[in-house]
């Protein structure tokens, strides 16, 4: 983990980086159920899932989001603060054995009128599978200090 | 866990329910770090956090979201499909020892023009702390079958 | 999770309900070993187990019991108190990949002479596998308040 | 872990042994909830528990049983098979921070008429707290081979 | 777990014991990543690993060491203190599904000149796989009280 | 996590870097016991530990090593291979609530006569506590490709 100060002015639209990959295992499914308390059979009952269109257990949306975001957590910017997410969409299901990686790209920035000295930076998170399919997208909104 | 079929027509704006509470423990912090891979010192380094404005470790946003959603996972509606979330905002930080509960309320519904036979239902998730403060809000979008 | 008050008088012999299913994974075996501290090779050593009659790892009895009971934990009755279990029997082994579900049925009730205002209710827990075989049975004894 | 062959004839009524202790932590509570799927607020919601007679979170009965049994899992007897448990009773609640240890004592034995060559041995499990109070008792029934 | 007092004089060079086995599962890989914070793709990304010489995920060295040592933790000697390890070597990789066991052998002992009343005992740990291959070796150094 | 190719020639004696910190929690103690299978009361029995010189539970040596190494796992060097560790020493115990961080420093390098094209690089790992005390040291030996 590295610390790197990036002020509002340092963000350029189009900047992007891609993370390493991580295989989503049956263990992750079980851990996520136990952590979240969501034991819906869509995630944990292989017999029930045989009767559904996908034919197998599908990952919790909150897990794809959590691990997708977690993969990006490699650089600390002490002057940026997470504000929230917009337009999170579950595009394709993630199955046991899929390998995901995340790409983040700066897609918008604007100064915050109500909060002088800060800008709002939007970073699009795209979680993709080894097949090339997109599993999840979400727009991460940061509040970033301006250089003084 | 109960299964209960609710068609698009069964959702009324203003319907709401509140979950039981759950105390967020240091264990949850450590489990979430290990599950997500996000070991930022804001969540895990008590000494570092003494130097920050809050003075203590703060929960991962993805954890407040995951557990907040998990608390609501008590009724399966086999004709509703999670589509995504809009406007997720981290309003107040969650600390070790805080007890959270979730409230969900139907705030919007409309038929899907592009997908006849389905409606779009928006359920607002509000995660509150024992202090009465709001920790997180997010709008959950479902695609729900219409009654035939 | 729902709260529902049921007094002693509300229980009828023969009442029953069945839970959703849950696939017992290798993860559950490993988690249970680490949680209980029981690392017997019957549960964790695939090579050793090849030499046993079943030819594969078998679930801890305490795990089948714990998850079998956990599956039923969906309705809180604030006027019932768990007293203990009688006649717990490990009928058939549970293997990695088996899917279990639980059925509970009220099989007996009687007023408690020594504790006026309370009745003793016996609920039989039966954990079954996807094959239809019974894995575990146990009689759960509750102490339940009478309606006043 | 040691392997030690003990035939039916080797068991004497009154034989007993005591395990090391283990402090039951908040982590164990959270892990057990996630493993069992039982997130009842009696175990996980510190605020709710302040309104109950005990004033604090109490351990799942299945956890006291699981860890109480796990503490005894130090000697493998390849000619003994676990058959089940009788008369499991939750005597006193276990709280976060309590230290438990288990004592097992042979309390009965008899030849199995229906299964020649085997005997039935009953071992009483008593889980005690650092206060000297008994938390749980249960009678473990083994089927043990006779010496030939 | 047993407690057994062994003084410096009780250790003989050549004494050895072997543990039971334990199958290293995908779960252990995921748990170790989450516990250590080491999410290198060599351990967790099955797709990436297909491009490496071994063609599959390989266990963290720290996990083989941790579980290899853990397997030996069955007898407490209250007069011996762990001092450290010398010459730890990762000889062969451990893959998901391998079963390991540990052998420990006393290979050296000498009185500690600087610490009268204590001796230094070296116990070689060898972790082997079901194939007979050695996965890891390390020399554990204990400081042991002399008999008075 | 970043990938950065560093050949043998790129390593200079004296190069060092320090990681972020991580508070070692009771959760880590419990997780490590469950992962390793080492449930010695020195790590898990708070009552027993009150009778020992330190008066409290002390971390498993294998955990301090595992997390200490894990903290450094932020940069992947695809031309370096972990060979083993020398002189690992447990200098000061780690207690629940201590915050550790790791420092690594290149302390030696030499070409490998038996393996042309590779050099042996020794990186000293020092795990320190928030008090400034050293908890663990160990010398990590890498085999690193030479630039061609």
């Amino acid at each position: 983990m590295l610390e790197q100060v990036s002020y509002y002015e340092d963000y350029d639209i189009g900047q992007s980086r891609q993370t390493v990959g991580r295989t989503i295992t049956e263990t992750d499914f079980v851990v996520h159920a136990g952590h979240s308390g969501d034991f819906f059979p869509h995630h944990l009952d292989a017999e029930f899932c045989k009767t559904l269109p996908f034919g197998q257990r599908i990952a919790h949306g909150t897990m794809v989001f959590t691990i997708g975001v977690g993969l990006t957590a490699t650089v600390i910017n002490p002057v940026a603060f997470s504000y929230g997410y917009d337009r999170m969409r579950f595009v394709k299901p993630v199955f046991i054995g899929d390998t995901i990686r995340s790409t983040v790209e700066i897609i918008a920035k604007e100064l915050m009128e109500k909060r002088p000295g800060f800008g709002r930076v939007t970073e699009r998170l795209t979680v993709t599978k080894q097949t090339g399919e997109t599993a999840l997208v979400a727009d991460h909104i940061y509040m970033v200090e301006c250089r003084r």
Side-chain angles (χ1 to χ4, degrees), chain A residues 32-147:
Chain A
H32 196 79
H35 180 46
S36 67
D38 177 347
F39 286 77
F40 271 22
H42 311 73
H43 312 305
L44 293 185
D45 182 342
E47 297 296 322
F48 167 74
C49 288
K50 287 178 187 167
T51 70
L52 298 184
F54 293 121
Q56 58 181 303
R57 287 164 281 176
I58 60 174
H60 297 73
T62 48
M63 179 168 76
V64 179
F65 177 62
T66 292
I67 295 181
V69 171
L71 282 166
T72 72
T74 52
V75 184
I76 300 170
N77 181 1
V79 296
F81 310 94
S82 181
Y83 190 75
Y85 285 85
D86 276 349
R87 280 177 290 282
M88 185 197 304
R89 294 294 178 270
F90 305 127
V91 185
K92 289 280 182 190
V94 171
F95 304 117
I96 293 170
D98 276 346
T99 296
I100 63 172
R101 62 177 64 222
S102 296
T103 306
V104 288
E105 180 184 358
I106 305 304
I107 61 164
K109 58 181 289 193
E110 56 178 338
L111 286 170
M112 296 178 83
E113 289 197 7
K114 295 185 178 167
R115 190 125 186 205
F118 283 88
R120 178 185 159 116
V121 173
T122 305
E123 184 183 69
R124 176 156 294 167
L125 167 73
T126 305
V127 179
T128 50
K129 309 210 304 182
Q130 78 287 352
T131 57
E133 296 170 298
T134 296
L136 178 147
V137 290
D139 290 345
H140 194 176
I141 304 162
Y142 288 99
M143 201 169 65
V144 186
E145 284 184 28
C146 297
R147 186 172 277 116

